Amino acid sequence: QRKEWIRDRDHVLEAYQKTRKDAEQGRILLVKSELASELSGILADLYGRVPKLNPDRTVSTEGRFIHDERRVNAMGSKYDHPPALQPTHRSLALLILWWKLRMPGIRILLAKRDIESAFKWLWVRLHEIGLFSTELPGDVLNVPGDITILSLCLTFGSVTAPGEYCAFATTNKQYHEAFGPDCPEWHDTVPFQNRTLVDDGVLVEPEIGIRPYLSGMVYERGARYAFGKGAINQPKLEEEGAFDTSSLVWGLCYDTVAETTTMPEVK
């Protein structure tokens, strides 16, 4: 049962490729199963995989790997951790309309900022590392037995991850919203605002002066303060980080000119 999902060799190789990236960044340790005595007490669970979605909501060939930590999650509760409250589509729409009422005739722009690796910025306490582990078959790499992966950081699948991560995400959000632009005669006096859903931040700004770009700069600076120097996902920033009147946000298409929220064509 433990290996039921990993019948596709390509998926196993993909998992190892992602594992290598984490290992290079010091986020995991790889251990051969022959060290059974040293691994006593480790609770290794399954790795699962679901396809990622492209920005246009089509299915990507790349997968997202998930730790099946139901056994570990049963030992605690999400209420033992900070709340992971999330904004709604309604709150984003209201913010857009608020700006349109304040700035009649001015275009309202949207931009997205994504945090690279999200939960993996948060380290696990040393004595709990054994609860954040999984295994992969070694035969794909011509290694006898299994390879145990010990995660030194939070994993996607842990009940602890959303709340603990959102404590830092809220720090980033509040840092951004504590600032406002200089030259109020050009940029208004309203502080910067954002709506952040886990690791997906959305900036909403009127197209006046250089206000949108100041807002983006402050949000990125706050992300680096909260998480680290490589916090901003650069490929996503280049692909969908520009300010525009339309944007695909949290699965829906927003158009601030037409004042519509629609489902993507794929859906």
Side-chain angles (χ1 to χ4, degrees):
Q1 181 182 5
R2 182 174 58 81
K3 298 179 183 178
E4 184 175 354
W5 78 272
I6 43 180
R7 293 173 177 170
D8 192 321
R9 183 181 179 89
D10 291 338
H11 289 171
V12 178
L13 288 174
E14 182 186 2
Y16 273 119
Q17 291 170 352
K18 292 181 179 293
T19 296
R20 177 179 178 179
K21 176 183 176 182
D22 289 335
E24 290 173 346
Q25 295 176 341
R27 290 170 170 163
I28 63 171
L29 296 176
L30 301 176
V31 186
K32 294 181 179 180
S33 60
E34 62 191 36
L35 300 175
S37 60
E38 287 83 352
L39 295 175
S40 177
I42 298 298
L43 188 61
D45 279 313
L46 286 165
Y47 237 168
R49 179 190 183 276
V50 294
K52 282 187 175 182
L53 297 180
N54 296 313
D56 63 357
R57 313 314 287 173
T58 57
V59 178
S60 170
T61 56
E62 183 181 359
R64 183 188 302 277
F65 289 85
I66 306 168
H67 284 236
D68 182 2
E69 296 197 40
R70 283 174 291 183
R71 289 191 299 170
V72 178
N73 290 341
M75 300 177 187
S77 168
K78 67 179 182 180
Y79 298 108
D80 298 330
H81 305 275
L85 302 177
Q86 305 300 322
T88 62
H89 280 286
R90 179 186 295 271
S91 70
L92 178 58
L94 287 173
L95 179 56
I96 294 170
L97 293 174
W98 184 89
W99 270 119
K100 290 179 74 73
L101 287 171
R102 184 175 179 86
M103 297 277 178
I106 300 297
R107 298 202 312 167
I108 307 304
L109 306 180
L110 305 175
K112 295 192 289 185
R113 296 293 183 271
D114 183 79
I115 302 299
E116 172 72 27
S117 300
F119 299 163
K120 296 179 182 179
W121 286 100
L122 277 65
W123 301 108
V124 174
R125 290 185 294 184
L126 182 62
H127 67 279
E128 295 178 345
I129 290 174
L131 301 178
F132 295 86
S133 62
T134 187
E135 291 179 337
L136 287 174
D139 58 351
V140 175
L141 302 181
N142 296 321
V143 175
D146 296 330
I147 294 180
T148 300
I149 303 169
L150 301 177
S151 295
L152 310 182
C153 56
L154 286 180
T155 57
F156 191 80
S158 168
V159 72
T160 69
E164 296 296 336
Y165 172 85
C166 282
F168 288 81
T170 301
T171 299
N172 182 22
K173 173 181 173 61
Q174 293 182 346
Y175 177 91
H176 176 248
E177 295 182 339
F179 287 86
D182 292 329
C183 304
E185 65 274 18
W186 288 101
H187 300 128
D188 202 349
T189 58
V190 179
F192 300 133
Q193 296 188 60
N194 70 81
R195 296 291 182 267
T196 298
L197 183 74
V198 190
D199 59 337
D200 291 328
V202 182
L203 311 181
V204 182
E205 297 291 349
E207 191 179 32
I208 53 175
I210 58 171
R211 180 186 171 104
Y213 311 103
L214 294 174
S215 178
M217 179 186 68
V218 172
Y219 188 91
E220 292 171 24
R221 185 173 65 193
R224 296 186 181 102
Y225 284 159
F227 297 103
K229 292 182 179 180
I232 297 298
N233 188 324
Q234 290 299 323
K236 281 196 174 182
L237 181 64
E238 295 170 3
E239 184 175 6
E240 50 183 352
F243 280 92
D244 202 348
T245 57
S246 61
S247 181
L248 181 61
V249 178
W250 311 330
L252 295 180
C253 299
Y254 281 77
D255 189 321
T256 64
V257 175
E259 298 182 359
T260 58
T261 304
T262 59
M263 299 184 74
E265 188 64 31
V266 174
K267 288 188 176 182

